[in-house]
């Protein structure tokens, strides 16, 4: 083992750890001895073995209980978009759904290989597992291998990351892209080659298209550069990169301008209790004690950042803390500030900042003294995080999941030939269609009368229309009609709208059955 140094400041010692390069002479000598003795050969670095073990543990946590819970509204929406024909797919993206576009493209190809709930969700699991080596490299680049491994371990057992690894949405892909974007930003600062800045530009654009709230992560990255002196940054290359990011995101601005912000209609004003619940979930669903353990690690990282600022000023030494601090705090602060004008705080939309918490906690842990304290904090964090994962397996901690699996099967099993089905919230058809796709076509499947704009699924079926335009077009000749009322997705709140629908169908039919499936009301009307 020899002295390891901080990137960009090779004269400043950080810790005495064996790096891959430093171990090469030892491995070569051992391999030579083994060959001389007629024994086998190559040995893997300790960090590689540990990272592999962390990835295996993460895979077990994420693949376990993967299909215990039904696909909820948002997941059915994802699958519905991915199943569209190319024309309708591109029309929907251009008109309304550029958000998460990279994920929808990946899911389109993924569905060609399988359609089960396990397979659909496993795409998110794979993105989550790919994040671990990327986060390790990021931690190693900023600090050292120990910090990288510790950060990967903390993310592997974090219940919030496990929970969104099991959802057919873009959240784990967003986390992966945020880590890669930050990694390439560091490379661009250290080695300001044009191709490095180009890679950072592409990754930053993908972050924003993967989820529009990714723009806050990119803005935090740019803000963190204020912690560097001007001569440490290739200002011209950065400016060119920033301009290209803005230009390539113009289609998003156009889409938002014409489609409005109906996607945030469901957001309620932020409360202190809601913010605290988000922090508990974000930290790993382990209660206040887990937050306290992270706070100890963050305090140690803050102290180290202060020392770096006093000794080196605005330098890489300080920026290596400033980048994750900005990444963790600024997106949340910007969203909370925006919520003063209009509610826009949605916890899961800020998951892109989760790796920053892992990095800072890991950096703080690795600087705690004595060693027994480091071990104690890691054990506490690991135990509480795993307990949070176990609790998530039993019950969701950040939403009330609507049970589309049970609701869809109830309708499909109970339907008779000639029945019709009407979805009050248009995109509610998508999870129903997914489960009907899984079950296979049957002669008794009800005919969808809304939303239905063509013989097959159409991009217009995803667009919510005013009730005044819908009701005059509803056919009333069917002997039985299933009315499905759910709480997600429309610009009108379902309370008033559901009453209107009940009254309208009640005047033309007799209510002969009603059942609730965790936020989904299924009503059967008969002649």
């Amino acid at each position: 083992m020899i002295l390891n140094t901080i990137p960009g400041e090779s004269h400043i010692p950080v810790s005495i750890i064996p790096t891959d390069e430093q171990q090469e002479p030892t491995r070569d000598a051992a391999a030579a001895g083994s060959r001389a003795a007629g024994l086998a050969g190559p040995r893997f670095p300790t960090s590689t073995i540990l990272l592999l073990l962390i990835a295996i543990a993460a895979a077990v946590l994420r693949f376990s209980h993967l299909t215990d819970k039904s696909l909820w509204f948002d997941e059915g929406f994802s699958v519905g978009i991915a199943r569209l024909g190319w024309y309708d797919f591109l029309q929907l993206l251009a008109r309304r759904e550029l958000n998460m576009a990279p994920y929808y493209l990946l899911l389109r190809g993924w569905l060609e290989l399988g359609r089960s709930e396990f397979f659909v969700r496993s795409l998110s699991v794979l993105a989550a597992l790919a994040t671990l080596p990327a986060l390790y490299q990021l931690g190693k680049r900023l600090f050292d291998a120990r910090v990288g491994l510790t950060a990967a371990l903390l993310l592997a057992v974090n219940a919030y990351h496990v929970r969104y690894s099991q959802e057919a949405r873009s959240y784990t892909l967003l986390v992966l892209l945020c880590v890669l974007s930050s990694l390439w930003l560091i490379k661009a600062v250290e080695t300001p080659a044009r191709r490095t800045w180009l890679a950072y530009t592409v990754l930053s654009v993908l972050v924003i298209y993967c989820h529009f709230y990714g723009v806050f992560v990119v803005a935090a990255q740019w803000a963190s550069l204020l912690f560097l002196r001007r001569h440490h940054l290739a200002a011209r290359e950065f400016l060119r990169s920033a301009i290209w990011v803005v230009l390539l995101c113009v289609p998003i601005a156009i889409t938002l301008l014409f489609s409005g912000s109906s996607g945030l209609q469901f957001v309620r004003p932020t409360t202190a209790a809601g913010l605290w619940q988000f922090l508990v979930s974000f930290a790993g669903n382990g209660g206040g004690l887990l937050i306290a353990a992270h706070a100890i690690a963050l305090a140690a990282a803050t102290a180290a950042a202060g020392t770096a600022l006093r000794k080196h000023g605005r330098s890489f030494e300080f920026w290596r803390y400033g980048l994750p601090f900005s990444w963790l705090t600024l997106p949340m602060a910007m969203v909370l500030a925006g919520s003063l004008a209009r509610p826009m705080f949605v916890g899961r939309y800020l998951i892109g900042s989760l790796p920053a918490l892992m990095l800072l906690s890991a950096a703080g842990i690795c600087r705690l003294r004595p060693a027994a304290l480091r071990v104690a904090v890691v054990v506490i964090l690991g135990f509480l995080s795993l307990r949070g994962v176990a609790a998530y397996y039993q019950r969701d901690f950040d939403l009330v999941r609507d049970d589309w699996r049970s609701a869809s099967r109830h309708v499909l099993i109970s339907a008779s030939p000639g029945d019709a089905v009407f979805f009050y919230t248009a995109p509610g058809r998508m999870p129903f269609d997914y489960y009907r796709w899984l079950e296979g076509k049957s002669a008794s499947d009800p005919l969808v009368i809304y939303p239905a704009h063509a013989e097959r699924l159409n991009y217009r079926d995803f667009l919510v229309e005013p009730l005044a335009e819908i009701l005059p077009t509803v056919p009333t000749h069917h002997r039985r009609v299933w009315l499905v009322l759910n709480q997600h997705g429309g610009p009108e709140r379902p309370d008033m709208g559901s009453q209107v629908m009940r009254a309208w169908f009640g005047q033309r039919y007799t209510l002969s059955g009603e059942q609730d499936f965790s936020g989904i009301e299924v009503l059967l009307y008969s002649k």
Side-chain angles (χ1 to χ4, degrees):
M1 297 189 295
I2 63 174
L3 190 66
N4 186 40
T5 57
I6 300 174
E9 298 286 348
S10 59
H11 60 285
I12 302 172
V14 179
S15 59
I16 299 178
I17 62 168
T19 65
D20 296 348
E21 294 79 11
Q22 293 160 359
Q23 291 178 354
E24 285 300 329
T26 304
R27 290 200 298 269
D28 292 344
S34 298
R35 285 193 298 270
L39 299 175
R43 296 170 56 194
F44 291 100
T46 302
S47 58
T48 303
I49 296 174
L50 291 175
L51 185 60
L52 180 61
L53 293 175
I54 291 171
I56 292 173
V60 171
L61 292 175
R62 284 154 179 77
F63 281 117
S64 296
H65 305 278
L66 188 57
T67 60
D68 283 3
K69 300 179 176 71
S70 164
L71 263 68
W72 71 292
F73 180 88
D74 283 11
E75 293 180 281
F77 191 79
S78 295
V79 177
I81 292 177
R83 291 181 58 207
L84 285 171
W86 275 110
Y87 172 79
D88 289 297
F89 178 79
L90 295 175
Q91 283 287 325
L92 185 61
L93 260 59
R95 291 170 179 262
R96 190 178 181 87
E97 292 300 329
L98 270 180
N99 191 33
M100 299 193 182
Y103 173 77
Y104 296 143
L105 283 167
L106 288 175
L107 188 59
R108 280 186 66 88
W110 193 245
L111 290 179
E112 295 295 325
L113 305 176
R115 63 173 69 175
S116 69
E117 290 171 301
F118 186 94
F119 194 81
V120 169
R121 286 173 169 163
S122 64
L123 178 61
S124 295
V125 174
L126 294 181
L129 297 179
T131 305
L132 298 176
L135 184 60
Y136 164 72
Q137 289 296 332
L138 179 58
K140 183 179 178 182
R141 192 100 184 191
L142 278 176
F143 301 100
D144 55 43
R146 285 187 307 171
V147 172
L149 285 171
T150 306
L153 174 62
L154 294 178
L155 186 65
V157 299
N158 179 268
Y160 204 67
H161 195 249
V162 172
R163 182 257 180 275
Y164 285 100
S165 299
Q166 296 192 333
E167 179 155 315
R169 296 291 278 170
S170 71
Y171 299 116
T172 53
L173 180 61
L174 172 66
V175 173
L176 172 60
L177 290 171
C178 287
V179 172
L180 292 176
S181 176
S182 299
L183 181 59
W184 254 263
L185 176 61
I186 297 168
K187 292 182 178 181
V189 169
E190 291 182 326
T191 310
R194 179 165 296 184
R195 62 179 179 274
T196 310
W197 278 107
L198 175 61
Y200 168 72
T201 302
V202 172
L203 288 168
S204 298
V205 171
L206 287 174
V207 164
I208 298 171
Y209 275 89
C210 195
H211 197 287
F212 291 169
Y213 274 45
V215 70
F216 299 116
V217 173
V218 176
Q221 292 173 346
W222 293 356
S224 76
L225 296 175
L226 297 173
F227 296 123
L228 287 171
R229 294 190 186 96
R230 182 174 297 181
H231 69 270
H232 287 155
L233 178 67
R236 180 176 298 179
E237 293 295 335
F238 165 70
L239 183 59
R240 181 183 293 113
S241 171
I243 291 173
W244 273 111
V245 169
V246 172
L247 290 176
L248 291 172
C249 290
V250 166
I252 293 177
I254 295 174
T255 300
L256 292 175
L257 180 64
F258 284 97
S259 66
S261 55
S262 59
L264 295 176
Q265 289 290 336
F266 71 96
V267 183
R268 298 178 180 178
T270 306
T271 63
L275 184 59
W276 171 253
Q277 182 56 48
F278 162 71
L279 294 176
V280 170
S281 301
F282 194 74
N285 196 34
L289 189 57
L290 181 55
I291 290 181
H294 274 295
I296 292 172
L298 290 175
T302 302
T307 300
L309 179 60
R310 288 193 303 271
K311 288 185 176 180
H312 310 290
R314 292 163 55 198
S315 64
F316 186 90
E317 301 305 310
F318 181 53
W319 182 61
R320 65 194 181 117
Y321 292 99
L323 173 60
F325 267 116
S326 297
W327 182 3
L328 175 63
T329 60
L330 287 184
M332 189 182 307
M334 286 186 280
V335 171
L336 287 173
S339 295
L340 297 176
R342 175 176 185 151
M344 57 182 295
F345 187 90
V346 183
R348 61 183 179 272
Y349 293 177
L350 296 170
I351 195 173
S353 294
L354 187 61
L357 175 62
M358 305 298 108
L359 278 172
L360 289 171
S361 292
I365 289 170
C366 291
R367 279 146 183 79
L368 291 174
R369 299 293 183 272
L373 180 58
R374 293 198 299 270
V375 174
V377 173
V378 170
V379 169
I380 291 172
L381 282 168
F383 171 76
L384 294 175
S385 296
L386 289 173
R387 192 175 70 173
V389 173
Y392 155 68
Y393 290 153
Q394 300 299 319
R395 182 180 180 182
D396 288 304
F397 52 79
D398 60 340
L399 57 81
V400 178
R401 184 184 297 262
D402 37 16
D403 189 1
W404 280 100
R405 180 195 294 162
S406 298
S408 301
R409 287 177 178 173
H410 171 70
V411 174
L412 293 172
I413 291 173
S414 306
S416 301
D419 284 7
V421 59
F422 184 105
F423 296 93
Y424 163 68
T425 302
R429 175 182 174 177
M430 308 315 154
F432 174 83
D433 266 6
Y434 169 71
Y435 283 109
R436 182 166 62 174
W437 186 41
L438 282 185
E439 297 289 338
K441 290 184 178 181
S442 170
S444 63
D445 286 352
L447 174 69
V448 177
I449 55 177
Y450 179 79
H453 298 86
E455 291 185 4
R456 56 175 297 177
L457 201 62
N458 183 280
Y459 77 89
R460 290 178 293 172
D461 297 335
F462 291 79
L463 308 179
V464 180
E465 302 175 50
L467 281 176
E469 297 180 10
I470 298 171
L471 294 180
T473 65
V474 177
T476 58
H477 63 274
H478 296 280
R479 187 174 62 86
R480 301 199 311 173
V481 177
W482 298 85
L483 174 61
V484 181
L485 305 172
N486 64 291
Q487 302 293 313
H488 301 279
E492 301 89 8
R493 296 306 300 164
D495 293 337
M496 179 62 70
S498 63
Q499 293 177 18
V500 172
M501 297 307 303
R502 284 172 175 268
W504 192 90
F505 278 98
Q507 293 174 358
R508 293 158 178 81
Y509 294 88
T510 299
L511 179 63
S512 57
E514 182 174 356
Q515 195 161 345
D516 182 85
F517 297 92
S518 184
I520 306 170
E521 292 179 279
V522 179
L523 295 82
L524 176 60
Y525 288 91
S526 303
K527 285 283 188 181

